[in-house]
Amino acid sequence: MSAAILTRQTFKDDAPAPAAAAPSAAPQPEVVELPPPVRRHTPLAERYSAEITGFFRRVIPIVFGLMLFVTVWAIVSQSSTLPGPLKTWHSAVVLFSDPFYRKGPNDQGIGWNILYSLARVGIGFGLAALIGIPLGFMIGRFRFLSGMTSPIVSLLRPVSPLAWLPIGLLVFKAANPAAIWVIFISSIWPMIINTAAGVREVPQDYLNVAKVLNLSEWKVFTKILFPAVLPFMLTGIRLSIGVAWLVIVAAEMLTGGVGIGFWVWDEWNNLNVEHIIIAIFTVGIVGLLLEQALMLLARRFEYR
């Protein structure tokens, strides 16, 4: 009987388990179609509102400053012999209606005088850049040369530009090269100083790597020094062109000939004060254009 019970128990244990119920299928998500986005056309003023606001924020102070300057000038001219803004404007219209006339070697239009002055500035400034920039690189690169030239630069840099004019007249025996000499000696110092300062600012690690790679001095100059020194060099050039344009007016007043400085002095001898004021504004505008052009050049070649 016990064997029968064991057999029945074995059959009971060996019976297959009932199959599990099949899982129900998961519900599919419902796809909802969204309408296409609607493009909204923003007004032009709203789209460029930041640019327009920034433009007016820059322009309005300039306009108010010029209006204040002209107002003060008009008030001062009422109580003195200084020509007023309106009278000077009429003279400027007549003067610039024919700026390139020629009536003799010493009677030429203001346009010719400006061009002659720019030519002298270009020659003197070009010679200063040709000598000053390489000299600045060498002074900044070699410590011995820097120590040797430092007292000379410190001694001659503060000298007034017109103090060099008699030396130029003595050496060159002519007014035109003497004026170019004054521009050269006055504009060379900012280029030397700024270029040398830029070379000294180059990280020493760069130069150490160049020594490890056994680069030639030309490779060091073209691949390391020149890109790093370029912003400093352009700053020196910008300062030098301002000094050169400032000096030429004073030099031409003393040397004579054709040029904006001589033209100002000649108009003073004729007691034509309106033309003197026009020349002052012309010199300022030309100098501003030269400086802005070099600033754009500096931003174009800015080393990052």
Side-chain angles (χ1 to χ4, degrees), residues 93-146:
V93 171
V94 175
L95 183 65
F96 284 100
S97 62
D98 187 15
F100 293 102
Y101 72 85
R102 288 182 185 269
K103 296 181 181 178
N106 294 327
D107 187 7
Q108 302 184 30
I110 188 172
W112 290 117
N113 287 276
I114 294 173
L115 290 179
Y116 274 100
S117 296
L118 286 173
R120 293 190 183 99
V121 168
I123 296 172
F125 175 79
L127 291 174
L130 191 63
I131 297 175
I133 292 176
L135 186 59
F137 270 104
M138 289 188 292
I139 290 174
R141 185 78 174 90
F142 304 106
R143 185 174 299 178
F144 178 80
L145 185 61
S146 176

Side-chain angles (χ1 to χ4, degrees), residues 172-185:
F172 299 106
K173 311 294 184 183
N176 191 50
I180 295 174
W181 154 255
V182 172
I183 296 168
F184 165 79
I185 199 65

Side-chain angles (χ1 to χ4, degrees), residues 38 50 64 94 106 139 149 156 176 182 224 239 260 264 279 302:
V38 180
F64 274 97
V94 175
N106 294 327
I139 290 174
T149 56
L156 298 182
N176 191 50
V182 172
I224 298 176
L239 295 174
I260 191 65
V264 170
E302 185 178 3

Side-chain angles (χ1 to χ4, degrees), residues 62-120:
I62 297 174
V63 172
F64 274 97
L66 292 175
M67 290 175 60
L68 179 62
F69 174 77
V70 173
T71 303
V72 173
W73 179 12
I75 294 172
V76 172
S77 63
Q78 295 295 326
S79 57
S80 65
T81 57
L82 185 71
L86 190 59
K87 187 177 180 180
T88 305
W89 172 258
H90 290 315
S91 297
V93 171
V94 175
L95 183 65
F96 284 100
S97 62
D98 187 15
F100 293 102
Y101 72 85
R102 288 182 185 269
K103 296 181 181 178
N106 294 327
D107 187 7
Q108 302 184 30
I110 188 172
W112 290 117
N113 287 276
I114 294 173
L115 290 179
Y116 274 100
S117 296
L118 286 173
R120 293 190 183 99

Side-chain angles (χ1 to χ4, degrees), residues 253-265:
M253 283 184 178
L254 299 178
T255 58
V258 182
I260 191 65
F262 172 75
W263 190 82
V264 170
W265 191 252

